[in-house]
Amino acid sequence: MALADNRKARYDYEILETLSAGIELLGLEVKSVRVHSVSLDAAYVGIRGKEAFLMQCSIPAYQPSNTPKDYDPLRVRKLLLTKKEIAHLEESEAKKGLTIVP
């Protein structure tokens, strides 16, 4: 079950293949994701040192009044993928003209 969908990406890009991945979240972000307060409009995936990261994805805190002062809704979040899937993404990213969109 997808809790977030990037409809704009399907309009702007030709989707060659899809993968499902988990996201490493903080406790205050989990409820926000469950109520579909996720914005993937400007988000992208980057591979750094054999790990995949979701960047520029906006996940606001569920209760802003209880949120720590230093919380960043656009922070970099680690994607939970297997080593084989990350290697495939890294190979695809290296090809000219291919982009990894969430």
Side-chain angles (χ1 to χ4, degrees), residues 27-71:
L28 56 103
E29 297 171 330
V30 175
K31 280 190 177 181
S32 186
V33 170
R34 285 186 185 160
V35 295
H36 306 282
S37 294
V38 180
S39 176
L40 293 172
D41 290 340
Y44 62 96
V45 175
I47 308 294
R48 295 182 189 162
K50 304 296 181 189
E51 293 182 332
F53 293 94
L54 179 63
M55 297 177 245
Q56 295 298 317
C57 172
S58 177
I59 301 177
Y62 182 68
Q63 294 177 332
S65 60
N66 292 339
T67 305
K69 300 287 185 214
D70 62 341
Y71 175 69

